[in-house]
Amino acid sequence: MKTILVVDNQTIFDIAAQHYGTLEAVKEILALNPEIENDSKGYNVEPGEFQFDLPVRVNSLLTINENSSLINKNLLKEINEQVTTYEVWPEQ
């Protein structure tokens, strides 16, 4: 097991892709981190409710199983940058 630090605008899907190489790992990440929360930058999220499409709370420490059978070693390569796909669109 290892601990990772969540960066700004990183979703659970980004974390799964970066550390496991597959989105199938989302369920394992949630199981290992029952306290996971969304970032509260003005999003309307009920307390205790986790939204998959919103960023995870920035600077959260999450546990990742680096020996998981879900890690796709054929696809996963070392990523030297943080993976973030969430983007806030400016209001017009």
Side-chain angles (χ1 to χ4, degrees), residues 32-91:
L32 290 171
N33 300 281
E35 74 290 346
I36 194 169
E37 296 179 331
N38 291 110
D39 205 340
S40 58
K41 307 182 217 188
Y43 307 116
N44 189 16
V45 178
E46 296 291 323
E49 180 180 315
F50 184 76
Q51 298 291 322
F52 291 83
D53 58 336
L54 293 177
V56 177
R57 183 179 303 275
V58 68
N59 295 324
S60 295
L61 295 174
L62 299 182
T63 301
I64 299 297
N65 183 357
E66 56 193 347
N67 296 317
S68 173
S69 62
L70 292 173
I71 292 179
N72 190 337
K73 293 181 170 57
N74 294 328
L75 293 178
L76 191 64
K77 68 172 196 162
E78 185 174 350
I79 299 174
N80 295 322
E81 296 152 9
Q82 298 298 328
V83 175
T84 57
T85 57
Y86 188 82
E87 185 174 337
V88 178
W89 292 83
E91 297 207 18

